[in-house]
Amino acid sequence: MAVQTINPYPVASDMMQVDEIREQLSDTGYPVTVDLIKRWIRDQGLYTEKYRGRTYVSYSDILMAHKDLAVPEP
């Protein structure tokens, strides 16, 4: 029987710089700051990678945090 493994890390193509994520979210009705995104990363223990002095995080993870923390309940 084959066992399917679960990768705990995001796919490389999903990783984005924090500044790029802020720009993407600025077009929504609920823009955020870089500091707020970094707080979500820290508070939720999101996986990050540093490369050449820049922080990369999963865009999907940030979208979920944005939905839960920045967008008010209807």
Side-chain angles (χ1 to χ4, degrees):
M1 177 190 298
V3 176
Q4 182 177 3
T5 60
I6 298 173
N7 186 357
Y9 303 108
V11 178
S13 63
D14 188 43
M15 300 296 278
M16 290 179 67
Q17 292 179 27
V18 173
D19 294 330
E20 292 174 335
I21 292 173
R22 183 199 52 79
E23 289 176 21
Q24 291 288 323
L25 295 177
S26 69
D27 293 336
T28 69
Y30 307 97
V32 296
T33 63
V34 169
D35 290 337
L36 184 58
I37 294 170
K38 288 181 179 180
R39 186 178 333 140
W40 292 344
I41 293 168
R42 184 182 62 248
D43 292 349
Q44 296 191 10
L46 301 179
Y47 174 77
T48 62
E49 287 187 20
K50 290 223 179 223
Y51 180 71
R52 295 187 178 181
R54 296 180 188 252
T55 301
Y56 291 81
V57 64
S58 167
Y59 185 55
S60 299
D61 288 347
I62 294 297
L63 285 178
M64 295 303 294
H66 185 258
K67 177 186 77 75
D68 294 339
L69 302 171
V71 179
E73 294 286 327

